[in-house]
Amino acid sequence: MTDSAAAAGVPLSVDFSSPEDYFVFIFQILFATTTVLVAGTVVIGISATKALRLQNRFIFMLNTSICDTLVGFSVYYLGLFDVQDGYPSRNGTYGILRDLLGVNILTFLFAQFDRYFAVCYPFVYSRFITRQVVIGLNIYCWVYNATHLLVRNMLPVSKAIQLYVFSIVFFQLIVLIKVLLTVKLYVVAKYQVEREPPGPERESKKESLKIIIFVVISFLVLWCPSFVNITVRFFTGWGLTFRNEATNLFAILARFNAVCTPSVYIWGSPALREATVRTVWGRVCPRCRRRCGSSPKEDPRKASR
């Protein structure tokens, strides 16, 4: 099978000469399918529920989940075929599929700032951070990523590698900012929100802070090994190398964010959980709809938050 595939085009990622090859191939199929199902469920749930689309925090969730769904589809190529989508490239996609993860890096950063201002400066936030501003920030994440990718592909390989290294350093700076913001959000969630009077608004703030803190922590844990390895390889020549994307443990860890992030969204938000059951899983399994009950009720006064 592998020989015939190689003669026709791109060979498979493994040659099935050992039990480990079968495990890698099956794992990539299951991983891609799980990512598409979980992230796609969040996309459909938010898109089909007007009460969620009106809230800024769910717009950020929608943007990251769209990106995660595309990452899941990309694994069907990056994980099942012999692909090295980097420098040097082999059967690559000009970095398009690999750089999908970069959209989430910027989106998470803007989402952290959004939650910080929403909780600490609610009057300024409600006046200036409108739904149109949030949508514009999410579009900017895609435009920046696409522009950077286009410029890098138009440059000579030597210059493209330098720009790629610069982007890695830039993202390390973003990671540092994310760490500081995570600590700040934790302090805000633990002390400032707890001092507010009990009510739906306080619970909404606690829920949104809990979700963004968990998402960012999981992101940092899963992304940092890949960041460190890439940095070490380009600056020192050391570091680990892998046969292809399917066997790249660090890339697999980074892509695991595409499963972890929407899972945290569903776990941390009862409104989103009910929306996904009503719009997706309730239609597949009617028993799930009966267990969940009626669709979520959102307070229109909090819609813009």
Side-chain angles (χ1 to χ4, degrees):
M1 291 173 57
T2 304
D3 292 339
S4 61
V10 181
L12 297 178
S13 58
V14 293
D15 56 9
F16 300 103
S17 60
S18 65
E20 291 81 4
D21 291 343
Y22 289 91
F23 172 79
V24 169
F25 199 79
I26 294 173
F27 169 79
Q28 295 292 345
I29 294 176
L30 295 177
F31 177 52
T33 304
T34 302
T35 303
V36 171
L37 290 177
V38 176
T41 297
V42 175
V43 172
I44 297 174
I46 297 177
S47 300
T49 307
K50 183 178 180 181
L52 301 185
R53 295 198 311 269
L54 293 176
Q55 301 184 54
N56 291 345
R57 61 193 179 104
F58 284 103
I59 296 177
F60 286 109
M61 293 184 190
L62 177 61
N63 192 48
T64 59
S65 297
I66 291 174
C67 184
D68 291 336
T69 305
L70 295 177
V71 169
F73 281 116
S74 74
V75 175
Y76 284 115
Y77 178 67
L78 297 178
L80 301 183
F81 295 92
D82 185 28
V83 178
Q84 188 68 270
D85 206 11
Y87 296 103
S89 177
R90 184 178 69 254
N91 302 321
T93 62
Y94 299 99
I96 295 175
L97 299 184
R98 179 196 60 207
D99 285 8
L100 280 174
L101 294 168
V103 176
N104 279 355
I105 297 177
L106 291 176
T107 305
F108 289 147
L109 180 65
F110 288 131
Q112 284 184 279
F113 279 113
D114 175 83
R115 289 300 89 201
Y116 176 75
F117 284 105
V119 174
C120 297
Y121 306 99
F123 297 107
V124 176
Y125 180 85
S126 60
R127 181 176 179 182
F128 294 103
I129 310 300
T130 63
R131 185 166 176 264
Q132 289 73 23
V133 171
V134 173
I135 293 175
L137 290 175
N138 283 275
I139 294 176
Y140 169 78
C141 295
W142 290 91
V143 172
Y144 172 84
N145 197 69
T147 303
H148 184 272
L149 183 63
L150 179 62
V151 171
R152 203 167 70 227
N153 283 319
M154 293 177 64
L155 293 173
V157 175
S158 59
K159 297 295 183 181
I161 293 177
Q162 293 178 3
L163 181 59
Y164 180 68
V165 173
F166 171 78
S167 66
I168 294 298
V169 175
F170 175 69
F171 281 131
Q172 296 285 7
L173 177 61
I174 292 180
V175 168
L176 177 60
I177 297 174
K178 290 166 74 67
V179 171
L180 297 177
L181 276 175
T182 301
V183 175
K184 181 64 176 180
L185 288 174
Y186 174 78
V187 174
V188 169
K190 187 174 183 179
Y191 297 103
Q192 182 166 332
V193 176
E194 291 296 336
R195 291 200 300 265
E196 295 185 4
E201 187 170 351
R202 190 182 80 164
E203 293 304 315
S204 177
K205 290 181 179 180
K206 289 178 63 177
E207 174 191 308
S208 61
L209 287 173
K210 178 178 67 175
I211 290 175
I212 192 62
I213 289 174
F214 271 93
V215 165
V216 171
I217 290 176
S218 65
F219 167 83
L220 293 175
V221 170
L222 296 173
W223 255 102
C224 277
S226 181
F227 271 142
V228 172
N229 187 58
I230 292 173
T231 304
V232 171
R233 283 178 55 195
F234 276 106
F235 285 100
T236 67
W238 295 84
L240 298 178
T241 57
F242 299 90
R243 184 173 71 242
N244 50 37
E245 296 290 334
T247 58
N248 189 334
L249 297 179
F250 295 140
I252 294 172
L253 276 177
R255 293 191 189 99
F256 194 71
N257 273 294
V259 177
C260 184
T261 299
S263 299
V264 172
Y265 290 160
I266 297 174
W267 164 76
S269 175
L272 176 59
R273 190 161 56 246
E274 293 179 9
T276 56
V277 170
R278 177 175 53 81
T279 58
V280 181
W281 300 117
R283 299 184 180 184
V284 177
C285 176
R287 184 177 299 179
C288 297
R289 179 192 290 269
R290 290 195 294 269
R291 285 183 178 180
C292 185
S294 59
S295 59
K297 302 293 184 180
E298 295 289 339
D299 187 350
R301 292 174 299 178
K302 299 186 297 176
S304 64
R305 300 182 185 178

